[in-house]
Amino acid sequence: MFSLGPDGMRDLQERAEGLSADLACGQWKPNRFDKRALRKLAGTDRDAITSMFIELGPRQGNKMTSRLVTLLANSAAAQDMPSIAELPEAQEALSAVSSVIRSAA
């Protein structure tokens, strides 16, 4: 279960960095549904993740890679709570997620 506290934010950052590393070495390749979502997020601010999920809907989300969906859903949950999003750990985690988005888009 995902935690919205500092430990959960550190875990989110580690998962974002792991996905980024897997992308860099070719162990993870975004599918076309992943790319569609990532393109929507690229060039926007981090707060766009929640809006993007609403816009895409469940059908699109079901076709995306589970690692990416989990990463983005957890990021959206952190963003949705200002008290959590302002934590230094959350800022670092959301920055790592943004890096994955830019790299994979």
Side-chain angles (χ1 to χ4, degrees):
M1 175 132 187
F2 177 66
S3 164
L4 286 174
D7 290 338
M9 294 299 101
R10 284 189 286 273
D11 179 55
L12 178 63
Q13 180 178 355
E14 288 173 12
R15 287 186 287 124
E17 290 169 351
L19 190 59
S20 184
D22 287 350
L23 176 68
C25 70
Q27 288 185 325
W28 176 66
K29 295 183 187 209
N31 66 33
R32 67 184 176 122
F33 301 102
D34 295 338
K35 288 181 182 180
R36 185 180 302 159
L38 291 164
R39 279 192 302 268
K40 285 184 180 198
L41 288 172
T44 62
D45 62 0
R46 291 182 291 204
D47 296 333
I49 294 174
T50 303
S51 301
M52 184 270 308
F53 265 117
I54 293 168
E55 182 181 323
L56 290 177
R59 183 171 293 200
Q60 169 80 21
N62 287 338
K63 296 176 182 176
M64 292 170 56
T65 306
S66 61
R67 286 178 71 188
L68 181 62
V69 170
T70 302
L71 187 75
L72 295 177
N74 292 345
S75 299
Q79 290 174 346
D80 204 33
M81 299 183 72
S83 62
I84 299 300
E86 293 174 4
L87 292 172
E89 295 88 354
Q91 291 297 311
E92 290 180 33
L94 294 172
S95 179
V97 171
S98 291
S99 178
V100 171
I101 291 169
R102 284 190 306 277
S103 297

PDB file of all heavy atoms in Angstrom, residues 1-16 69-81 84 89-90 93-94 97:
ATOM      1  N   MET A   1       0.845  -1.173   0.000  1.00  0.00           N
ATOM      2  CA  MET A   1       0.000   0.000   0.000  1.00  0.00           C
ATOM      3  C   MET A   1       0.895   1.243   0.000  1.00  0.00           C
ATOM      4  O   MET A   1       1.919   1.293   0.660  1.00  0.00           O
ATOM      5  CB  MET A   1      -0.897  -0.033   1.228  1.00  0.00           C
ATOM      6  CG  MET A   1      -1.729   1.187   1.391  1.00  0.00           C
ATOM      7  SD  MET A   1      -3.395   0.682   1.718  1.00  0.00           S
ATOM      8  CE  MET A   1      -4.177   2.233   1.652  1.00  0.00           C
ATOM      9  N   PHE A   2       0.476   2.230  -0.723  1.00  0.00           N
ATOM     10  CA  PHE A   2       1.231   3.464  -0.880  1.00  0.00           C
ATOM     11  C   PHE A   2       0.986   4.385   0.307  1.00  0.00           C
ATOM     12  O   PHE A   2      -0.133   4.590   0.733  1.00  0.00           O
ATOM     13  CB  PHE A   2       0.815   4.148  -2.185  1.00  0.00           C
ATOM     14  CG  PHE A   2       1.484   5.460  -2.426  1.00  0.00           C
ATOM     15  CD1 PHE A   2       2.846   5.522  -2.640  1.00  0.00           C
ATOM     16  CD2 PHE A   2       0.754   6.629  -2.428  1.00  0.00           C
ATOM     17  CE1 PHE A   2       3.471   6.739  -2.869  1.00  0.00           C
ATOM     18  CE2 PHE A   2       1.367   7.847  -2.664  1.00  0.00           C
ATOM     19  CZ  PHE A   2       2.722   7.900  -2.883  1.00  0.00           C
ATOM     20  N   SER A   3       2.056   4.946   0.830  1.00  0.00           N
ATOM     21  CA  SER A   3       1.977   5.876   1.947  1.00  0.00           C
ATOM     22  C   SER A   3       2.206   7.289   1.427  1.00  0.00           C
ATOM     23  O   SER A   3       3.074   7.524   0.592  1.00  0.00           O
ATOM     24  CB  SER A   3       3.053   5.525   2.978  1.00  0.00           C
ATOM     25  OG  SER A   3       3.247   6.594   3.876  1.00  0.00           O
ATOM     26  N   LEU A   4       1.429   8.234   1.949  1.00  0.00           N
ATOM     27  CA  LEU A   4       1.593   9.617   1.542  1.00  0.00           C
ATOM     28  C   LEU A   4       2.537  10.391   2.458  1.00  0.00           C
ATOM     29  O   LEU A   4       2.682  11.588   2.318  1.00  0.00           O
ATOM     30  CB  LEU A   4       0.233  10.323   1.493  1.00  0.00           C
ATOM     31  CG  LEU A   4      -0.645   9.935   0.313  1.00  0.00           C
ATOM     32  CD1 LEU A   4      -2.016  10.562   0.439  1.00  0.00           C
ATOM     33  CD2 LEU A   4      -0.007  10.321  -1.006  1.00  0.00           C
ATOM     34  N   GLY A   5       3.199   9.706   3.355  1.00  0.00           N
ATOM     35  CA  GLY A   5       4.150  10.359   4.243  1.00  0.00           C
ATOM     36  C   GLY A   5       5.531  10.442   3.608  1.00  0.00           C
ATOM     37  O   GLY A   5       5.731  10.074   2.452  1.00  0.00           O
ATOM     38  N   PRO A   6       6.499  10.912   4.379  1.00  0.00           N
ATOM     39  CA  PRO A   6       7.867  11.028   3.854  1.00  0.00           C
ATOM     40  C   PRO A   6       8.428   9.712   3.322  1.00  0.00           C
ATOM     41  O   PRO A   6       9.103   9.704   2.286  1.00  0.00           O
ATOM     42  CB  PRO A   6       8.667  11.523   5.062  1.00  0.00           C
ATOM     43  CG  PRO A   6       7.666  12.252   5.905  1.00  0.00           C
ATOM     44  CD  PRO A   6       6.379  11.488   5.722  1.00  0.00           C
ATOM     45  N   ASP A   7       8.150   8.594   4.011  1.00  0.00           N
ATOM     46  CA  ASP A   7       8.652   7.305   3.531  1.00  0.00           C
ATOM     47  C   ASP A   7       8.046   6.940   2.182  1.00  0.00           C
ATOM     48  O   ASP A   7       8.733   6.433   1.292  1.00  0.00           O
ATOM     49  CB  ASP A   7       8.360   6.194   4.547  1.00  0.00           C
ATOM     50  CG  ASP A   7       9.191   6.324   5.801  1.00  0.00           C
ATOM     51  OD1 ASP A   7      10.260   6.974   5.747  1.00  0.00           O
ATOM     52  OD2 ASP A   7       8.776   5.783   6.846  1.00  0.00           O
ATOM     53  N   GLY A   8       6.767   7.204   2.024  1.00  0.00           N
ATOM     54  CA  GLY A   8       6.097   6.929   0.758  1.00  0.00           C
ATOM     55  C   GLY A   8       6.633   7.789  -0.371  1.00  0.00           C
ATOM     56  O   GLY A   8       6.766   7.347  -1.513  1.00  0.00           O
ATOM     57  N   MET A   9       6.980   9.021  -0.050  1.00  0.00           N
ATOM     58  CA  MET A   9       7.535   9.915  -1.063  1.00  0.00           C
ATOM     59  C   MET A   9       8.927   9.464  -1.481  1.00  0.00           C
ATOM     60  O   MET A   9       9.287   9.530  -2.654  1.00  0.00           O
ATOM     61  CB  MET A   9       7.560  11.361  -0.562  1.00  0.00           C
ATOM     62  CG  MET A   9       6.188  11.977  -0.340  1.00  0.00           C
ATOM     63  SD  MET A   9       5.171  12.066  -1.840  1.00  0.00           S
ATOM     64  CE  MET A   9       4.091  10.668  -1.613  1.00  0.00           C
ATOM     65  N   ARG A  10       9.715   8.970  -0.510  1.00  0.00           N
ATOM     66  CA  ARG A  10      11.034   8.439  -0.862  1.00  0.00           C
ATOM     67  C   ARG A  10      10.881   7.196  -1.732  1.00  0.00           C
ATOM     68  O   ARG A  10      11.638   6.995  -2.690  1.00  0.00           O
ATOM     69  CB  ARG A  10      11.846   8.149   0.396  1.00  0.00           C
ATOM     70  CG  ARG A  10      12.411   9.414   1.034  1.00  0.00           C
ATOM     71  CD  ARG A  10      13.382   9.111   2.151  1.00  0.00           C
ATOM     72  NE  ARG A  10      12.719   8.652   3.360  1.00  0.00           N
ATOM     73  CZ  ARG A  10      12.240   9.454   4.304  1.00  0.00           C
ATOM     74  NH1 ARG A  10      12.367  10.750   4.193  1.00  0.00           N
ATOM     75  NH2 ARG A  10      11.655   8.955   5.377  1.00  0.00           N
ATOM     76  N   ASP A  11       9.888   6.359  -1.431  1.00  0.00           N
ATOM     77  CA  ASP A  11       9.619   5.177  -2.244  1.00  0.00           C
ATOM     78  C   ASP A  11       9.197   5.587  -3.658  1.00  0.00           C
ATOM     79  O   ASP A  11       9.640   4.993  -4.639  1.00  0.00           O
ATOM     80  CB  ASP A  11       8.531   4.323  -1.587  1.00  0.00           C
ATOM     81  CG  ASP A  11       8.188   3.103  -2.400  1.00  0.00           C
ATOM     82  OD1 ASP A  11       9.105   2.317  -2.717  1.00  0.00           O
ATOM     83  OD2 ASP A  11       6.987   2.932  -2.734  1.00  0.00           O
ATOM     84  N   LEU A  12       8.361   6.606  -3.757  1.00  0.00           N
ATOM     85  CA  LEU A  12       7.929   7.104  -5.064  1.00  0.00           C
ATOM     86  C   LEU A  12       9.137   7.590  -5.867  1.00  0.00           C
ATOM     87  O   LEU A  12       9.260   7.292  -7.057  1.00  0.00           O
ATOM     88  CB  LEU A  12       6.903   8.226  -4.882  1.00  0.00           C
ATOM     89  CG  LEU A  12       6.383   8.897  -6.144  1.00  0.00           C
ATOM     90  CD1 LEU A  12       5.626   7.896  -7.012  1.00  0.00           C
ATOM     91  CD2 LEU A  12       5.474  10.066  -5.770  1.00  0.00           C
ATOM     92  N   GLN A  13      10.029   8.298  -5.223  1.00  0.00           N
ATOM     93  CA  GLN A  13      11.226   8.781  -5.903  1.00  0.00           C
ATOM     94  C   GLN A  13      12.082   7.613  -6.384  1.00  0.00           C
ATOM     95  O   GLN A  13      12.570   7.616  -7.516  1.00  0.00           O
ATOM     96  CB  GLN A  13      12.039   9.688  -4.988  1.00  0.00           C
ATOM     97  CG  GLN A  13      13.288  10.224  -5.655  1.00  0.00           C
ATOM     98  CD  GLN A  13      14.084  11.160  -4.760  1.00  0.00           C
ATOM     99  OE1 GLN A  13      13.661  11.486  -3.659  1.00  0.00           O
ATOM    100  NE2 GLN A  13      15.231  11.591  -5.233  1.00  0.00           N
ATOM    101  N   GLU A  14      12.259   6.612  -5.541  1.00  0.00           N
ATOM    102  CA  GLU A  14      13.062   5.437  -5.931  1.00  0.00           C
ATOM    103  C   GLU A  14      12.440   4.724  -7.123  1.00  0.00           C
ATOM    104  O   GLU A  14      13.145   4.295  -8.036  1.00  0.00           O
ATOM    105  CB  GLU A  14      13.198   4.477  -4.757  1.00  0.00           C
ATOM    106  CG  GLU A  14      14.118   4.979  -3.667  1.00  0.00           C
ATOM    107  CD  GLU A  14      14.107   4.078  -2.436  1.00  0.00           C
ATOM    108  OE1 GLU A  14      13.576   2.947  -2.503  1.00  0.00           O
ATOM    109  OE2 GLU A  14      14.628   4.519  -1.400  1.00  0.00           O
ATOM    110  N   ARG A  15      11.103   4.604  -7.117  1.00  0.00           N
ATOM    111  CA  ARG A  15      10.438   3.936  -8.247  1.00  0.00           C
ATOM    112  C   ARG A  15      10.565   4.757  -9.524  1.00  0.00           C
ATOM    113  O   ARG A  15      10.761   4.209 -10.611  1.00  0.00           O
ATOM    114  CB  ARG A  15       8.984   3.641  -7.923  1.00  0.00           C
ATOM    115  CG  ARG A  15       8.864   2.486  -6.927  1.00  0.00           C
ATOM    116  CD  ARG A  15       7.444   2.044  -6.667  1.00  0.00           C
ATOM    117  NE  ARG A  15       6.789   3.049  -5.840  1.00  0.00           N
ATOM    118  CZ  ARG A  15       5.661   3.676  -6.162  1.00  0.00           C
ATOM    119  NH1 ARG A  15       5.049   3.401  -7.277  1.00  0.00           N
ATOM    120  NH2 ARG A  15       5.133   4.569  -5.364  1.00  0.00           N
ATOM    121  N   ALA A  16      10.491   6.075  -9.406  1.00  0.00           N
ATOM    122  CA  ALA A  16      10.663   6.940 -10.580  1.00  0.00           C
ATOM    123  C   ALA A  16      12.082   6.817 -11.125  1.00  0.00           C
ATOM    124  O   ALA A  16      12.278   6.705 -12.342  1.00  0.00           O
ATOM    125  CB  ALA A  16      10.344   8.390 -10.223  1.00  0.00           C
ATOM    126  N   VAL A  69       1.398   3.530 -14.687  1.00  0.00           N
ATOM    127  CA  VAL A  69       0.114   3.907 -14.086  1.00  0.00           C
ATOM    128  C   VAL A  69       0.262   4.080 -12.582  1.00  0.00           C
ATOM    129  O   VAL A  69      -0.200   5.068 -12.006  1.00  0.00           O
ATOM    130  CB  VAL A  69      -0.989   2.865 -14.400  1.00  0.00           C
ATOM    131  CG1 VAL A  69      -2.245   3.125 -13.584  1.00  0.00           C
ATOM    132  CG2 VAL A  69      -1.322   2.878 -15.876  1.00  0.00           C
ATOM    133  N   THR A  70       0.933   3.143 -11.936  1.00  0.00           N
ATOM    134  CA  THR A  70       1.131   3.227 -10.494  1.00  0.00           C
ATOM    135  C   THR A  70       1.934   4.457 -10.122  1.00  0.00           C
ATOM    136  O   THR A  70       1.591   5.189  -9.190  1.00  0.00           O
ATOM    137  CB  THR A  70       1.834   1.949  -9.975  1.00  0.00           C
ATOM    138  OG1 THR A  70       1.035   0.817 -10.325  1.00  0.00           O
ATOM    139  CG2 THR A  70       2.029   1.998  -8.480  1.00  0.00           C
ATOM    140  N   LEU A  71       2.995   4.715 -10.861  1.00  0.00           N
ATOM    141  CA  LEU A  71       3.833   5.879 -10.596  1.00  0.00           C
ATOM    142  C   LEU A  71       3.023   7.167 -10.738  1.00  0.00           C
ATOM    143  O   LEU A  71       3.060   8.039  -9.872  1.00  0.00           O
ATOM    144  CB  LEU A  71       5.024   5.887 -11.555  1.00  0.00           C
ATOM    145  CG  LEU A  71       6.071   6.950 -11.299  1.00  0.00           C
ATOM    146  CD1 LEU A  71       6.909   6.576 -10.082  1.00  0.00           C
ATOM    147  CD2 LEU A  71       6.956   7.114 -12.514  1.00  0.00           C
ATOM    148  N   LEU A  72       2.255   7.282 -11.816  1.00  0.00           N
ATOM    149  CA  LEU A  72       1.476   8.495 -12.048  1.00  0.00           C
ATOM    150  C   LEU A  72       0.310   8.623 -11.064  1.00  0.00           C
ATOM    151  O   LEU A  72       0.017   9.729 -10.594  1.00  0.00           O
ATOM    152  CB  LEU A  72       0.970   8.532 -13.493  1.00  0.00           C
ATOM    153  CG  LEU A  72       2.052   8.637 -14.563  1.00  0.00           C
ATOM    154  CD1 LEU A  72       1.428   8.589 -15.954  1.00  0.00           C
ATOM    155  CD2 LEU A  72       2.904   9.868 -14.382  1.00  0.00           C
ATOM    156  N   ALA A  73      -0.324   7.509 -10.723  1.00  0.00           N
ATOM    157  CA  ALA A  73      -1.434   7.564  -9.760  1.00  0.00           C
ATOM    158  C   ALA A  73      -0.933   7.999  -8.385  1.00  0.00           C
ATOM    159  O   ALA A  73      -1.572   8.821  -7.714  1.00  0.00           O
ATOM    160  CB  ALA A  73      -2.126   6.210  -9.679  1.00  0.00           C
ATOM    161  N   ASN A  74       0.190   7.464  -7.963  1.00  0.00           N
ATOM    162  CA  ASN A  74       0.749   7.856  -6.672  1.00  0.00           C
ATOM    163  C   ASN A  74       1.193   9.316  -6.687  1.00  0.00           C
ATOM    164  O   ASN A  74       1.037  10.035  -5.699  1.00  0.00           O
ATOM    165  CB  ASN A  74       1.911   6.946  -6.285  1.00  0.00           C
ATOM    166  CG  ASN A  74       1.451   5.536  -5.980  1.00  0.00           C
ATOM    167  OD1 ASN A  74       0.276   5.262  -5.793  1.00  0.00           O
ATOM    168  ND2 ASN A  74       2.387   4.617  -5.953  1.00  0.00           N
ATOM    169  N   SER A  75       1.729   9.761  -7.819  1.00  0.00           N
ATOM    170  CA  SER A  75       2.103  11.168  -7.947  1.00  0.00           C
ATOM    171  C   SER A  75       0.873  12.067  -7.868  1.00  0.00           C
ATOM    172  O   SER A  75       0.902  13.107  -7.213  1.00  0.00           O
ATOM    173  CB  SER A  75       2.813  11.412  -9.280  1.00  0.00           C
ATOM    174  OG  SER A  75       3.980  10.655  -9.353  1.00  0.00           O
ATOM    175  N   ALA A  76      -0.191  11.652  -8.534  1.00  0.00           N
ATOM    176  CA  ALA A  76      -1.431  12.429  -8.500  1.00  0.00           C
ATOM    177  C   ALA A  76      -1.986  12.503  -7.082  1.00  0.00           C
ATOM    178  O   ALA A  76      -2.463  13.558  -6.647  1.00  0.00           O
ATOM    179  CB  ALA A  76      -2.464  11.819  -9.446  1.00  0.00           C
ATOM    180  N   ALA A  77      -1.904  11.403  -6.342  1.00  0.00           N
ATOM    181  CA  ALA A  77      -2.383  11.402  -4.953  1.00  0.00           C
ATOM    182  C   ALA A  77      -1.572  12.377  -4.103  1.00  0.00           C
ATOM    183  O   ALA A  77      -2.139  13.111  -3.290  1.00  0.00           O
ATOM    184  CB  ALA A  77      -2.298   9.994  -4.369  1.00  0.00           C
ATOM    185  N   ALA A  78      -0.283  12.408  -4.318  1.00  0.00           N
ATOM    186  CA  ALA A  78       0.571  13.331  -3.561  1.00  0.00           C
ATOM    187  C   ALA A  78       0.256  14.778  -3.926  1.00  0.00           C
ATOM    188  O   ALA A  78       0.194  15.647  -3.054  1.00  0.00           O
ATOM    189  CB  ALA A  78       2.044  13.027  -3.825  1.00  0.00           C
ATOM    190  N   GLN A  79       0.032  15.030  -5.199  1.00  0.00           N
ATOM    191  CA  GLN A  79      -0.274  16.387  -5.650  1.00  0.00           C
ATOM    192  C   GLN A  79      -1.628  16.863  -5.151  1.00  0.00           C
ATOM    193  O   GLN A  79      -1.832  18.055  -4.954  1.00  0.00           O
ATOM    194  CB  GLN A  79      -0.279  16.451  -7.177  1.00  0.00           C
ATOM    195  CG  GLN A  79       1.064  16.297  -7.779  1.00  0.00           C
ATOM    196  CD  GLN A  79       0.986  16.211  -9.283  1.00  0.00           C
ATOM    197  OE1 GLN A  79      -0.074  16.019  -9.863  1.00  0.00           O
ATOM    198  NE2 GLN A  79       2.121  16.344  -9.926  1.00  0.00           N
ATOM    199  N   ASP A  80      -2.537  15.931  -4.978  1.00  0.00           N
ATOM    200  CA  ASP A  80      -3.900  16.280  -4.595  1.00  0.00           C
ATOM    201  C   ASP A  80      -3.995  16.768  -3.147  1.00  0.00           C
ATOM    202  O   ASP A  80      -5.002  17.342  -2.760  1.00  0.00           O
ATOM    203  CB  ASP A  80      -4.809  15.062  -4.809  1.00  0.00           C
ATOM    204  CG  ASP A  80      -6.253  15.437  -5.003  1.00  0.00           C
ATOM    205  OD1 ASP A  80      -6.505  16.513  -5.584  1.00  0.00           O
ATOM    206  OD2 ASP A  80      -7.130  14.662  -4.586  1.00  0.00           O
ATOM    207  N   MET A  81      -2.954  16.527  -2.372  1.00  0.00           N
ATOM    208  CA  MET A  81      -2.938  16.946  -0.972  1.00  0.00           C
ATOM    209  C   MET A  81      -1.827  17.973  -0.779  1.00  0.00           C
ATOM    210  O   MET A  81      -0.643  17.611  -0.690  1.00  0.00           O
ATOM    211  CB  MET A  81      -2.726  15.739  -0.067  1.00  0.00           C
ATOM    212  CG  MET A  81      -3.829  14.707  -0.199  1.00  0.00           C
ATOM    213  SD  MET A  81      -3.602  13.335   0.923  1.00  0.00           S
ATOM    214  CE  MET A  81      -3.988  14.140   2.475  1.00  0.00           C
ATOM    215  N   ILE A  84       0.955  17.408   1.711  1.00  0.00           N
ATOM    216  CA  ILE A  84       1.925  16.379   1.327  1.00  0.00           C
ATOM    217  C   ILE A  84       2.829  16.909   0.223  1.00  0.00           C
ATOM    218  O   ILE A  84       4.049  16.759   0.274  1.00  0.00           O
ATOM    219  CB  ILE A  84       1.210  15.094   0.852  1.00  0.00           C
ATOM    220  CG1 ILE A  84       0.356  14.503   1.967  1.00  0.00           C
ATOM    221  CG2 ILE A  84       2.207  14.073   0.320  1.00  0.00           C
ATOM    222  CD1 ILE A  84       1.111  14.105   3.208  1.00  0.00           C
ATOM    223  N   GLU A  89      10.470  15.823   0.684  1.00  0.00           N
ATOM    224  CA  GLU A  89      10.533  14.492   0.075  1.00  0.00           C
ATOM    225  C   GLU A  89       9.590  14.402  -1.128  1.00  0.00           C
ATOM    226  O   GLU A  89       9.909  13.770  -2.134  1.00  0.00           O
ATOM    227  CB  GLU A  89      10.170  13.400   1.093  1.00  0.00           C
ATOM    228  CG  GLU A  89      11.139  13.265   2.236  1.00  0.00           C
ATOM    229  CD  GLU A  89      10.824  14.171   3.419  1.00  0.00           C
ATOM    230  OE1 GLU A  89       9.907  15.010   3.325  1.00  0.00           O
ATOM    231  OE2 GLU A  89      11.513  14.043   4.435  1.00  0.00           O
ATOM    232  N   ALA A  90       8.428  15.032  -1.012  1.00  0.00           N
ATOM    233  CA  ALA A  90       7.465  15.015  -2.112  1.00  0.00           C
ATOM    234  C   ALA A  90       7.979  15.832  -3.292  1.00  0.00           C
ATOM    235  O   ALA A  90       7.829  15.428  -4.450  1.00  0.00           O
ATOM    236  CB  ALA A  90       6.111  15.545  -1.654  1.00  0.00           C
ATOM    237  N   ALA A  93      10.479  13.705  -5.034  1.00  0.00           N
ATOM    238  CA  ALA A  93       9.819  12.595  -5.731  1.00  0.00           C
ATOM    239  C   ALA A  93       9.111  13.089  -6.983  1.00  0.00           C
ATOM    240  O   ALA A  93       9.234  12.479  -8.057  1.00  0.00           O
ATOM    241  CB  ALA A  93       8.829  11.904  -4.795  1.00  0.00           C
ATOM    242  N   LEU A  94       8.388  14.183  -6.871  1.00  0.00           N
ATOM    243  CA  LEU A  94       7.663  14.709  -8.032  1.00  0.00           C
ATOM    244  C   LEU A  94       8.626  15.213  -9.104  1.00  0.00           C
ATOM    245  O   LEU A  94       8.336  15.107 -10.299  1.00  0.00           O
ATOM    246  CB  LEU A  94       6.683  15.799  -7.597  1.00  0.00           C
ATOM    247  CG  LEU A  94       5.538  15.296  -6.711  1.00  0.00           C
ATOM    248  CD1 LEU A  94       4.725  16.470  -6.177  1.00  0.00           C
ATOM    249  CD2 LEU A  94       4.659  14.308  -7.449  1.00  0.00           C
ATOM    250  N   VAL A  97       9.646  12.114 -10.932  1.00  0.00           N
ATOM    251  CA  VAL A  97       8.558  11.686 -11.822  1.00  0.00           C
ATOM    252  C   VAL A  97       8.548  12.573 -13.072  1.00  0.00           C
ATOM    253  O   VAL A  97       8.409  12.076 -14.194  1.00  0.00           O
ATOM    254  CB  VAL A  97       7.192  11.721 -11.097  1.00  0.00           C
ATOM    255  CG1 VAL A  97       6.052  11.492 -12.075  1.00  0.00           C
ATOM    256  CG2 VAL A  97       7.155  10.680  -9.981  1.00  0.00           C
TER     257      VAL A  97
END
